[in-house]
C-alpha cells in the first residue's frame, strides 16, 4: 500500500527530483528510526512507569492490607519493568507473575510485598534469598536491609540477574549460582530467609542458618499441586511453623 502511493507520487516528477526525493525520504526514515527509541525511553515513558508503579502500590499492595511503610516505599522505588524482558515491560506493574525465561517467573507484586513484610525487615538485617530469578525480590529487600545474599540454580538466570543488579547499582546484594538447598553457610546465620521456589519440605540447612529470633518464609507443597506459604520462626532454639496462605510457585529444584 505504502509503496503504491509512493510510486504514484513519484510519477509526476523528473529523474533528478526523484533522486532527491528518495534521498529526502531516506533521511526522514533514518531520523524517525533514530528518534523513536530515544522517545520510548525518555522522561514521558519514565513518568508512565512511575505512575504505573504508584498505582500498583496503592491498589494491589496498600489496598490489600500491606501496611509496612518501608515495604510500600521500596516497591514504589524499585523499577520492576527493568526486571522483565523488553516486550513485557508494559505489563510489569500488572497484578500477576510474568515469565522470565527458562520456565521461571517473577512473582506477582502482592506476593513479593507479602513475603517481604512478613519477615519484618530491619536496616541492620542480613537476609538470604533462595531463587534469585530476575533479581527483583532481592532488589526490594536491598532497599530495606543491610545485606542481601541470593542464590540461583539456573546459571543463565544467575548471570543475568547479577548483571542487572550491578547495572542498577545494588551494591548490598551478593549473588551466587548453585543449589540453594545448602544455603550460604559462610555468610550465615541470617536474620531472615526468603525462599521463592516451592519445596516439598523445609531444607534443614536453611533452618540451621536462621538466627535465633529469625524468620523464614517459604512456599511448601508439591509442584503443580497445593502449596502454602509457611512462616518458620526460631525462638529460644525452638522452631515453629505456621501456614499462611495457598500459593502457586515454580518448583524448588535440586542439582543432579
Ligand atoms: N525471586 C525471583 C522469583 C524467582 S522464581 C524474582 O524476584 O524474580 C524462583 C526461582 O528459584 C527460579 O529462578 C528458579 O530457577 C530458582 N530455584 C529453584 N530451585 C532452586 C534452588 N534449589 N536453588 C536456587 N534457586 C532455585
Amino acid at each position: 500500500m505504502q509503496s503504491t502511493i509512493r510510486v504514484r507520487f513519484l510519477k509526476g516528477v523528473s529523474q533528478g527530483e526523484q533522486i532527491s526525493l528518495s534521498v529526502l525520504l531516506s533521511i526522514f526514515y533514518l531520523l524517525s528510526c533514530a528518534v523513536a527509541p530515544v522517545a520510548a525511553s525518555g522522561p514521558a515513558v519514565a513518568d508512565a512507569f512511575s505512575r504505573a508503579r504508584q498505582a500498583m502500590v496503592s491498589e494491589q499492595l496498600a489496598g490489600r492490607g500491606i501496611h509496612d511503610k518501608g515495604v510500600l516505599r521500596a516497591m514504589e522505588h524499585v523499577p520492576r519493568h527493568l526486571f522483565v524482558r523488553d516486550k513485557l515491560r508494559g505489563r510489569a506493574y500488572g497484578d500477576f507473575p510474568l515469565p522470565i525465561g527458562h520456565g521461571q517467573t517473577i512473582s506477582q507484586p502482592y506476593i513479593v510485598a507479602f513475603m517481604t513484610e512478613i519477615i519484618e525487615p530491619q536496616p541492620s538485617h542480613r537476609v538470604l534469598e533462595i531463587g534469585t530469578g530476575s533479581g527483583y525480590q532481592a532488589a526490594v529487600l536491598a532497599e530495606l536491609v543491610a545485606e542481601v545474599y541470593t542464590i540461583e540454580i539456573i546459571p543463565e538466570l544467575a548471570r543475568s540477574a547479577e548483571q542487572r543488579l550491578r547495572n542498577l547499582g545494588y551494591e548490598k546484594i551478593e549473588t551466587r549460582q548453585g543449589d540453594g538447598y545448602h544455603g550460604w553457610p559462610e555468610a550465615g546465620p541470617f536474620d531472615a530467609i526468603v525462599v521463592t521456589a516451592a519445596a516439598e519440605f523445609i531444607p534443614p540447612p536453611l533452618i540451621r542458618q536462621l538466627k535465633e529470633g529469625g524468620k523464614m518464609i517459604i512456599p511448601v507443597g508439591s509442584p503443580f499441586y497445593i502449596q502454602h506459604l509457611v512462616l518458620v520462626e526460631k525462638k529460644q532454639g525452638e522452631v515453629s511453623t505456621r501456614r499462611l496462605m495457598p500459593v502457586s510457585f515454580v518448583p524448588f529444584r535440586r542439582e543432579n
Side-chain angles (χ1 to χ4, degrees), residues 97-249:
L98 284 172
I100 54 171
H102 304 271
Q104 309 304 315
T105 54
I106 176 174
S107 304
Q108 179 191 3
Y110 175 75
I111 295 292
V112 175
F114 183 88
M115 293 175 83
T116 309
E117 183 173 73
I118 203 82
I119 60 162
E120 297 181 31
Q122 303 298 323
S124 63
H125 277 177
R126 301 167 68 248
V127 179
L128 172 66
E129 182 200 21
I130 309 300
T132 316
S134 67
Y136 178 68
Q137 172 77 72
V140 170
L141 287 166
E143 299 279 333
L144 297 157
V145 304
E147 291 166 31
V148 178
Y149 295 82
T150 181
I151 308 176
E152 170 56 51
I153 200 164
I154 299 177
E156 294 84 351
L157 287 179
R159 265 197 300 277
S160 59
E162 181 187 16
Q163 188 71 49
R164 175 178 297 121
L165 291 167
R166 198 181 313 132
N167 291 346
L168 290 171
Y170 281 102
E171 287 169 5
K172 294 176 180 178
I173 305 176
E174 293 279 330
T175 58
R176 169 181 276 189
Q177 189 272 319
D179 184 350
Y181 180 90
H182 307 287
W184 196 318
E186 319 87 90
F190 300 96
D191 298 282
I193 300 179
V194 175
V195 183
T196 64
E200 301 211 17
F201 58 92
I202 303 164
L206 298 185
I207 297 180
R208 282 198 292 276
Q209 288 167 38
L210 196 58
K211 259 189 201 168
E212 169 62 32
K215 294 182 201 292
M216 165 164 38
I217 184 79
I218 175 169
V220 181
S222 47
F224 317 113
Y225 194 57
I226 296 173
Q227 307 157 5
H228 284 91
L229 272 185
V230 172
L231 180 66
V232 182
E233 288 181 272
K234 202 186 250 187
K235 278 187 201 144
Q236 287 148 9
E238 298 262 314
V239 175
S240 68
T241 61
R242 190 150 53 98
R243 269 186 179 189
L244 300 178
M245 66 160 133
V247 283
S248 173
F249 273 80

